[in-house]
Amino acid sequence: MSTPQPVRGTRDLIGEEARRHFHVIETARRVAALYGYDEWSTPIFEETGVFARGLGDTSDVVTKEMYTFTDRGGDSLTLRPEATAGVCRALVSNGLTQSLPQKIFYAGPMFRYERPQKGRYRQFHQIDIEVLGSDSPLADAEVIACGWHILQELGVAQDTVLELNTLGDKTSRDAYRAALVSYFLGHKDELSEDSIARLERNPLRVVDSKDEGDRRIVAHAPTIDGCLTEPAYAFFEKLQEHLARFGVPFRRNPRIVRGLDYYSHTAFEFVTTRLGAQGTVMGGGRYEGLVEEMGGPHTPCIGWAAGIERLSMLMAAAPPAPASVAIIPVGDAAEAAALDIAQSLRAAGIRAEMAYRGNLKRRMERANRTGARAAIILGESEIAGGLVQLKDLVSGEQAAVPVAELVRRLK
RNA sequence: GCGGACGUAGCUCAGCUGGUAGAGCGCCAGGUUGUGGUCUUGGAUGUCACGGGUUCGAGCCCCGUCGUUCGCCCCA
């Protein structure tokens, strides 16, 4: 194959797939606006430090999975692997830490150097909302409710389940980590190799292991509940109350964990069984240290991100492209009149198309193929009488109609 | 980074124990020079993913590469 192909892990969005993709974004944008979120857009690449900061050196993430390059000025830059870090950076860069909270909606491409799988690409697209600068559990509940609302509007809510957990505050989490490490060390001989490695690097992740043997051990591992401080417990209780009021059903899943230090309290995922190994459709939680990492003040935040590709796959069908009206002149003399009609329909908000060339038969074929709802046919005799032939392409009925009445007939 | 499956026309796929490439759909043109969808007649299209090897001969067998896909690892 010598013709250029899209590079590994990237793909073209055309036709049905494009319509699905943009339908997800438009739906999310509309619903987020109902909840009072403003849309932001930040650069697609940042100084590498914006993403590397706060990730620590615990995982493969920084070393293996970022698209990092040196530009001509010698600076290390990285294609954003997620939206949140850039949003937090923008908050600080623009002095908005003085006007909190900020409620942000975001949509755009992200980049991770990973092995492509179903619903996992190197250039992928996310919708994302964040509330920056609120420590109220009401913010958590609203963020989740907004996500749930979007899933409902997309028609995928019935295929997903909200799984909810709390990581508690720092004191709770430190206690939990210590409890886990001591429990797993007691079962070290029974753990998989992968999990023994996790125990060193990122003990919370053992809880998330897919290995059968590990799962049996994890089933009896201590849960966060026994380690929660009083305020952390109260926060989680309040969140669940609010969610009930918002009418969002959820299931407690103590296995949802987050490895990085700046996560706290709420952690959640909307999951589905319909996408193989990539079951998470929308995931998020509370984080408290990221804005500080960008040089701002301590700022508690809550948000989620959802993969547009995965949502598109779950969606039954994209709404069809709007049907247009095909304007078909017969003979060169009719073309000018046809253009005038096209412009008058468009001015009235009616989608209208005129082919650039072709005889009547070909233009009719094209009108049919593109799903036009009606054809307007005009030749010399029609022009002379101020009429056109208006043909309904669904019913096949055709009648002579005065030009002046077209907009009213097609509205 | 690791493992399995797959790669033939624009699309979906067939192709026998190795003998030199096919179907359906779509596309183009005619039947119909002012009427689409249905019907009908005809037509075009392939470096058989790429590179090497075995063979008189490779779409088919062997090796490598690339890509797709499913899973593992990872998942900010």
Side-chain angles (χ1 to χ4, degrees), chain A residues 113-364:
Chain A
Y113 190 87
E114 296 180 292
R115 190 78 181 261
Q117 285 178 43
K118 187 186 190 67
R120 173 186 268 195
Y121 302 93
R122 288 183 174 178
Q123 177 178 337
F124 60 105
H125 301 79
Q126 288 187 327
I127 51 175
D128 187 292
I129 72 172
E130 311 285 344
V131 173
L132 307 179
S134 169
D135 60 4
S136 166
L138 185 53
D140 303 52
E142 186 195 79
V143 158
I144 293 171
C146 180
W148 173 243
H149 196 146
I150 290 167
L151 296 177
Q152 284 180 308
E153 294 275 321
L154 289 173
V156 304
Q158 73 283 351
D159 291 314
T160 65
V161 173
L162 169 60
E163 302 201 323
L164 184 69
N165 196 23
T166 181
L167 306 173
D169 50 24
K170 186 165 183 350
T171 307
S172 317
R173 214 166 46 255
D174 287 347
Y176 181 44
R177 179 176 327 221
L180 275 182
V181 169
S182 92
Y183 172 78
F184 285 129
L185 281 177
H187 295 78
K188 195 169 179 181
D189 299 342
E190 305 159 64
L191 283 176
S192 68
E193 265 183 53
D194 285 333
S195 283
I196 290 171
R198 290 185 185 108
L199 201 48
E200 307 271 315
R201 286 203 316 273
N202 202 343
L204 291 191
R205 277 273 155 212
V206 177
V207 171
D208 212 18
S209 173
K210 289 179 184 172
D211 182 88
E212 277 292 325
D214 288 350
R215 280 174 179 253
R216 278 196 295 276
I217 298 164
V218 168
H220 300 100
T223 65
I224 182 79
D225 298 47
C227 305
L228 289 178
T229 61
E230 195 59 41
Y233 181 80
F235 187 99
F236 193 44
E237 284 292 302
K238 206 71 189 160
L239 168 61
Q240 294 175 70
E241 273 173 43
H242 289 316
L243 278 178
R245 182 142 309 135
F246 276 113
V248 183
F250 63 89
R251 180 167 79 195
R252 177 73 194 279
N253 181 352
R255 295 210 325 274
I256 294 178
V257 294
R258 292 283 134 86
L260 302 181
D261 281 342
Y262 54 71
Y263 286 102
S264 61
H265 296 290
T266 314
F268 65 92
E269 295 180 356
F270 285 91
V271 299
T272 182
T273 53
R274 283 181 47 208
L275 292 177
Q278 271 60 247
T280 302
V281 168
M282 176 181 283
R286 184 163 274 285
Y287 51 97
E288 310 219 310
L290 200 48
V291 172
E292 274 174 292
E293 299 281 0
M294 302 300 162
H298 177 80
T299 307
C301 309
I302 170 84
W304 53 250
I308 295 174
E309 285 78 5
R310 294 181 190 179
L311 290 171
S312 295
M313 285 189 288
L314 283 177
M315 243 166 46
S324 61
V325 173
I327 297 162
I328 303 181
V330 179
D332 292 342
E335 196 168 76
L339 279 173
D340 289 345
I341 290 172
Q343 288 303 82
S344 67
L345 293 183
R346 290 163 181 162
I350 296 166
R351 174 166 166 148
E353 283 187 278
M354 190 179 88
Y356 302 121
R357 54 175 302 178
N359 59 24
L360 175 55
K361 179 184 164 101
R362 187 181 296 289
R363 287 171 190 254
M364 282 298 288

